[in-house]
Amino acid sequence: MSQSQEQMVRSKAQTLMISLNIALGSLNIGYVVTYLTLSIDTLFAVLGISEEEKTERLSLLAGILPLGNVAGVFIGYLLKQKFTNKQCLHIADLIGITSALAVIADYHLIVVIRFFLGVSNGISSYLMPVYIKSICPTQYFGQFSMFVGYGINTGYAIGQLMGIGYIDYSGPTSNWWRVVFLFPTLICIIRSCIMQFVFNYDSPEQLIQRGNIERAKYVICSIYKDQYVDEQFERYNKMATEQSKQNNKSFWSVLERKKLITLQTGIVSMLVQIWCGVFAVFYYSAQIFADMADDDVVQKTVYTFCLGLSGFVAQFFTIYMVNKLGNKFILLIGSFVIGSLNLAVAIISRDVTPENEFAIFILLLLLVMTFGSTLGPAAWSIVPQLNDSDGTFIATEFRWAFQAIVVFCFPFMEKNLKIFGAFLFFAIIDYLYFIYCHFFLIDGRGKTNDQLIAAYHNKFGYSVVPVTNQQQSNIQTDLQQPQDQQLITQQQGNSKNENEK
């Protein structure tokens, strides 16, 4: 990054903190996947659920969450038509705060609250990358777009860290599960308070679309130095123009060949992120380690905690890799290594003995570490990088649908295919994605988002036709009309007041 690029913003630290706070909701996305894993024995003991009912009840508790995510992404898309990105996240946090009711010991209530928590996370998962892309300076987007993935990995680790409390506080008389279930509420409150009282910045292009020019300039001035404000205002004005043009089109225009070229990249990457094998480990690690630890609570908790911690630590390698390797090579390396680890788990699991149980644990540890530093953050980054908000919506919607399927299917895969068949299946998916990345993905190093998208279009036979000056003028006129009308109305009101005087 050049020195001139560094000097465009008033404070890189402030810009970093704005994006980090937006991505704070991603902690909940990861946390709610893992916190149930070690809580389930104590929770079911408190609720009086028998061993015979356990599998069915656990499947519903785990599966209702991604269904809520699917609904949440769709709700987020509808909200975005009426509200700004920041306002939508406030609504998501308001819904998430209701998760505090999950401390009431009622199974059906907890299921309902898990669904609403999924809705909150679904709204956030769609709008966080869109919001960061909007408000983040272009030269930082490559790194800052990883924050959602980093937050999710950190959430995985926190959820498993909270399981340590069950070493001393487990069983039907424990209240530790209530403390664990309150964490998402806390995150929602913190993010909304910071967005409202510290970094109260709406997306400038959305403010321009709504005719709030002064507020848009205030946000730009708060991020960029004075000499760059006009340049950045023109950039956001162009973004507002493009969004207005997009809003005038049918939603199904996102399925045009031009957009499908990059959209399918996002959908395929999200598919593999979910079906690479790691999510099966996250959801069912306690059950996997129960046999290894002979149901010893301490040993099972230590295994599970190490799993989450490894992914948390490994993700920081991506910070240094993203600029040097780029998303393409990060995904290539990740898919091949994860596929090989899945294959090794499948082979060893065919003949499980006390001697090789620990080897399986090490392989799963390496699996989570590799995911945390490659597929985890990189797949979340590539979607908004290559797609507009509509494309991001579709890819995110598919992502949660894929997760719902893996949650419901893995217990049956484990029962019918055993660990060998399930992880062999995951390995095949990973190797196929490796081939896909090699032939289809384009190295984005040294390219802006627009240049990278143009490279995809040119590679796959779609000629990129620039917008003519006349077309740009017509679009700008359409955008300016509501602003002019608002000004005329204000002037007429002022004249009327003067006449009355």
Side-chain angles (χ1 to χ4, degrees), residues 322-378:
V322 63
N323 286 334
K324 294 181 179 180
L325 295 179
N327 277 332
K328 175 178 178 176
F329 291 101
I330 290 175
L331 292 171
L332 272 169
I333 294 169
S335 57
F336 183 80
V337 174
I338 291 174
S340 301
L341 291 169
N342 277 323
L343 183 60
V345 170
I347 293 172
I348 293 178
S349 66
R350 295 194 70 179
D351 184 25
V352 178
T353 62
E355 290 73 25
N356 63 21
E357 280 182 348
F358 187 73
I360 293 177
F361 168 69
I362 296 298
L363 290 172
L364 293 179
L365 206 66
L366 294 173
L367 184 69
V368 173
M369 289 181 68
T370 308
F371 177 84
S373 59
T374 57
L375 274 174

Side-chain angles (χ1 to χ4, degrees), residues 432-450:
L432 289 175
Y433 185 63
F434 173 79
I435 297 170
Y436 172 87
C437 290
H438 177 73
F439 288 104
F440 192 89
L441 293 192
I442 294 176
D443 185 5
R445 288 174 295 177
K447 298 181 180 70
T448 65
N449 287 351
D450 291 339

Side-chain angles (χ1 to χ4, degrees), residues 266-406:
I267 293 175
V268 171
S269 298
M270 286 301 194
L271 168 66
V272 177
Q273 186 197 55
I274 298 301
W275 280 89
C276 68
V278 171
F279 274 84
V281 176
F282 282 143
Y283 272 107
Y284 299 101
S285 58
Q287 285 68 39
I288 293 172
F289 295 143
D291 295 333
M292 294 173 56
D294 293 324
D295 282 325
D296 181 88
V297 174
V298 176
Q299 193 174 351
K300 184 172 66 174
T301 302
V302 170
Y303 278 150
T304 306
F305 171 67
C306 289
L307 208 63
L309 184 63
S310 64
F312 170 74
V313 172
Q315 69 182 341
F316 294 104
F317 291 106
T318 313
I319 298 175
Y320 302 99
M321 289 194 300
V322 63
N323 286 334
K324 294 181 179 180
L325 295 179
N327 277 332
K328 175 178 178 176
F329 291 101
I330 290 175
L331 292 171
L332 272 169
I333 294 169
S335 57
F336 183 80
V337 174
I338 291 174
S340 301
L341 291 169
N342 277 323
L343 183 60
V345 170
I347 293 172
I348 293 178
S349 66
R350 295 194 70 179
D351 184 25
V352 178
T353 62
E355 290 73 25
N356 63 21
E357 280 182 348
F358 187 73
I360 293 177
F361 168 69
I362 296 298
L363 290 172
L364 293 179
L365 206 66
L366 294 173
L367 184 69
V368 173
M369 289 181 68
T370 308
F371 177 84
S373 59
T374 57
L375 274 174
W380 277 107
S381 171
I382 202 171
V383 171
Q385 189 176 28
L386 297 179
N387 297 279
D388 57 21
S389 59
D390 284 351
T392 302
F393 158 69
I394 291 179
T396 309
E397 193 73 276
F398 269 101
R399 192 253 184 211
W400 291 118
F402 296 145
Q403 184 165 328
I405 294 170
V406 78

